[in-house]
Amino acid sequence: MDVPELLDLAGIFVFAVSGGLTAVRQRLDMVGMVVLAEITALGGGIVRDLVIGAVPPTAFTSVGYVLVPVAAAVLVFFWHPQVSRILPTVLLFDAAGLGLFCATGTAKALDFGLSPLHAVLLGVITAVGGGMLRDVLSGLIPSVLYDRQLYALPALLGAALVAVADVTGWHGPGVTAGAALLAFVLRVSAMRYGWRTPRPRGVRD
C-alpha cells in the first residue's frame, strides 16, 4: 500500500466518523450509522468516478475503502461520547481530508481529459459530495448550502490551484500537496477566526 492510498484511507476514515456522529445526533441505529459513514466517506469519489467514466469506481475495487468506514462506524457506535470530546481534533483531520480530496479529485478529472473548469467542479464534488449526501439522507439541509464556516470555498480554491497549475504546465505530487495545504489552511483559519461567507443583502444571521 503506497502513501497516497494511505492518505486516502485516512481521509475516508475521518469523513466516515463525521457521518457516524451525524447518525448519533439524528438518533439512527447501527444500520443507519454504517450507511451514513459509507456515504459520507465514499459518496463524492463515487460520483466523480462515474462522471469521468472510471468504472467501476475505486470504492468498489478495494476492500479497504469499504471496511474503513465500517470501522469508523463501529468506533462511533461504542465510543461516540469520547469521539465527541475530541471533536476539535477530528475537525482538523476533516480539514486535511477536505484538502486532500479536492486536490486529488481535480487531478484525476484532469487526467481523464476534462476541461479545467469541469475538473474543478468535480474536485469540489469529491471533497463535499459525501457530506451533502449524508445531510440529505439524514433529513438536514446540506451544510455546504449555507457555507458559514468556509467548507466548500477552501475546496474550490484548492481545486482551482490544481487546474491553474495544470494549464501552466505544472503537474505532480508537489502541486497536489500545495493545493491540499491551501484548502486545509483556509478551512482551519475559518474555524479559528470565525470567517464566514456573506448572506444576501438585508438577510441577517
Side-chain angles (χ1 to χ4, degrees), residues 15 40 44-45 97-103 105 122-131 151 155:
F15 279 9
T40 307
L98 178 80
L100 177 67
F101 283 9
C102 75
L122 275 188
V124 174
I125 288 172
T126 304
V128 308
Y151 200 80

Side-chain angles (χ1 to χ4, degrees), residues 1-91:
M1 186 178 294
D2 54 18
V3 173
E5 187 174 357
L6 285 174
L7 292 174
D8 214 20
L9 290 174
I12 285 171
F13 180 82
V14 175
F15 279 9
V17 167
S18 74
L21 290 175
T22 298
V24 172
R25 289 193 292 269
Q26 296 301 100
R27 305 179 66 83
L28 303 183
D29 62 11
M30 183 61 183
V31 173
M33 182 174 290
V34 170
V35 169
L36 285 192
E38 294 280 357
I39 287 293
T40 307
L42 305 176
I46 290 173
V47 171
R48 176 204 61 214
D49 287 350
L50 290 176
V51 170
I52 64 179
V55 291
T58 305
F60 294 95
T61 61
S62 170
V63 174
Y65 278 66
V66 177
L67 294 184
V68 166
V70 173
V74 171
L75 174 69
V76 174
F77 184 83
F78 288 105
W79 295 287
H80 62 86
Q82 291 85 350
V83 174
S84 296
R85 281 199 291 270
I86 62 169
L87 188 58
T89 302
V90 173
L91 289 175

Side-chain angles (χ1 to χ4, degrees), residues 111-128:
D111 288 342
F112 273 75
L114 268 67
S115 72
L117 175 60
H118 294 104
V120 168
L121 292 176
L122 275 188
V124 174
I125 288 172
T126 304
V128 308

